[in-house]
Amino acid sequence: MPGSSAKDLKTACLVTGCAGFVGSHLTEALLGLGLAVVGVDNFFSGHRRNMAGFEAHPGFSFLEKNILEPEILARAVDIRPGLAHVFHLAAIVSVPYSLAHPDEVMAVNHQASVDLFDQARAMALASFVFAGSAAEYGDCESMPLAESDAGPNTRQTSPYGRAKYLCSRHVEQAGFGSSLRFFNIYGPRQDPGSPYSGVVSRFIDQGLSGRPLTVFGDGGQSRDFLFVRDSVRAYVAAAGLGRVPVLSGVFNVGTGTSTTILGLAEAVRRLTKNRAPLSFLPQREGDVRRSLAEVSRFERAAGFKAQTGLDKGLARTVAWARAQRGSA
Ligand code: UD2
């Protein structure tokens, strides 16, 4: 356990969900910036293999804990007295799971998140960045979606979306910290292993194994796909660790461009040289037709623009998935 040497006092971050798809990329980036990181995960949906690149890093400490445990922030400060930033990504991430287990999801995604935020605020930490979601907008018709489109009367379509909205509102009303409402994040380490995995990870997995890509509905539905590296840049900026001071409030994070699922399928088939015809399956229950971020608030506040377009991001993700297969 670290003692009180000068090294231990360097600025540190808490990353909850550090073994997850996004959390593992964020942890790597923060360590790369020379910060220390205390990571928390209980492997509910994260994987130890995602931590392979940093688990042994001298600046990294790991707490295998459920976010419902009350003493997480205090433990993290014990380990790293220089703790100044919290990135709260840990959550139950499946929308369908949230419909089947609403109480559990409200406890983890809402109550535990609010508790962690209140503790960070009471300790006057430098920043708290919450992983919000486009799910906070429910099935809103008007596009693009602006931050003000989610309000007290918005009906989210799942406990997942409701919990994310309630946390974002709590952060906004406190006037401390920020909530980043991410649109559809994709990239290396996204797990294609369940029917509810992100469409990009599923399509690439299907494409590389020569199977038909499964399109739910007619494929005319569209999304705003954000490369994971851009999501990491957004976290770093919101915490004041980039070029602008720490941010406060709620911000959409997307690219501001939309892609249909059919368009995505064609791009993935091309990159993976998949020749199987598409397989059209019934529309997924609760699917929203369109989702597109209005991105100007975050651009104004942080000078943020997504840097990696879909073609480049897909090519990188396919290259990663190919390498995984090669090494499996
Ligand atoms: C995303 C988030 C979810 C929540 C929601 C808010 C992901 C993985 N999920 O759900 O957590 O924030 O946005 O609105 O980012 N599809 C297919 N074939 C497949 C898989 C999916 O056609 O094999 C379609 C699916 O029906 C949907 C679209 O692709 O129309 C995107 O699906 P998704 O599960 O990647 O993400 P989404 O937008 O439902």
Side-chain angles (χ1 to χ4, degrees):
M1 203 50 54
S4 56
S5 70
K7 182 169 163 270
D8 296 332
L9 289 171
K10 81 172 171 183
T11 306
C13 311
L14 173 67
V15 176
T16 71
C18 66
F21 158 48
V22 181
S24 62
H25 285 281
L26 175 60
T27 300
E28 238 160 37
L30 295 169
L31 291 168
L33 288 172
L35 299 156
V37 176
V38 180
V40 176
D41 212 295
N42 66 348
F43 302 116
F44 182 83
S45 59
H47 299 284
R48 187 150 229 138
R49 63 172 183 267
N50 289 342
M51 296 172 32
F54 56 80
E55 202 171 358
H57 190 291
F60 180 71
S61 319
F62 183 55
L63 292 174
E64 183 173 343
K65 284 193 180 300
N66 188 315
I67 200 69
L68 289 171
E69 292 180 39
E71 300 296 319
I72 285 177
L73 194 51
R75 279 282 290 128
V77 174
D78 276 350
I79 296 171
R80 293 284 177 188
L83 197 118
H85 306 277
V86 177
F87 298 90
H88 180 41
L89 285 69
I92 295 173
V93 293
S94 166
V95 171
Y97 185 95
S98 82
L99 290 162
H101 305 90
D103 294 344
E104 182 187 352
V105 167
M106 290 312 282
V108 173
N109 290 14
H110 177 229
Q111 198 51 54
S113 301
V114 165
D115 290 348
L116 186 69
F117 173 83
D118 288 345
Q119 289 167 29
R121 189 175 168 220
M123 290 167 73
L125 295 187
S127 77
F128 185 102
V129 188
F130 174 68
S133 168
E136 296 176 41
Y137 294 108
D139 203 356
C140 182
E141 293 287 315
S142 77
M143 292 291 145
L145 294 159
E147 287 82 354
S148 55
D149 287 329
N153 297 327
T154 304
R155 286 171 58 103
Q156 290 81 21
T157 57
S158 65
Y160 172 86
R162 185 75 191 148
K164 289 285 180 185
Y165 168 70
L166 292 173
C167 288
S168 288
R169 196 179 62 175
H170 187 78
V171 169
E172 189 169 39
Q173 288 177 344
F176 160 73
S178 58
S179 170
L180 301 182
R181 284 187 183 144
F182 289 102
F183 282 64
N184 291 59
I185 306 177
Y186 71 97
R189 293 191 204 139
Q190 193 171 27
D191 182 2
S194 101
Y196 305 110
S197 297
V199 63
V200 173
S201 65
R202 279 173 56 81
F203 278 2
I204 290 177
D205 189 51
Q206 292 163 343
L208 288 176
S209 55
R211 287 177 285 143
L213 275 54
T214 52
V215 175
F216 300 146
D218 64 6
Q221 67 272 38
S222 57
R223 297 291 184 272
D224 185 335
F225 291 104
L226 182 77
F227 190 55
V228 64
R229 193 186 155 88
D230 280 319
S231 74
V232 167
R233 290 177 52 241
Y235 277 114
V236 169
L241 295 167
R243 292 199 190 117
V244 294
V246 59
L247 300 186
S248 166
V250 175
F251 303 91
N252 281 342
V253 189
T255 65
T257 58
S258 72
T259 304
T260 65
I261 298 307
L262 281 183
L264 175 72
E266 276 324 303
V268 171
R269 284 177 80 235
R270 202 169 55 243
L271 283 165
T272 59
K273 302 188 173 41
N274 178 293
R275 297 208 169 73
L278 297 177
S279 165
F280 285 89
L281 299 174
Q283 185 183 328
R284 203 167 61 180
E285 197 190 339
D287 223 15
V288 301
R289 184 73 181 166
R290 296 194 298 151
S291 176
L292 173 63
E294 209 289 309
V295 292
S296 61
R297 184 187 284 185
F298 198 43
E299 189 176 341
R300 275 197 308 275
F304 180 90
K305 263 190 199 311
Q307 283 178 346
T308 306
L310 188 59
D311 286 349
K312 202 176 189 185
L314 283 181
R316 287 188 188 167
T317 312
V318 168
W320 171 82
R322 273 211 176 95
Q324 290 298 108
R325 285 168 176 260
S327 64

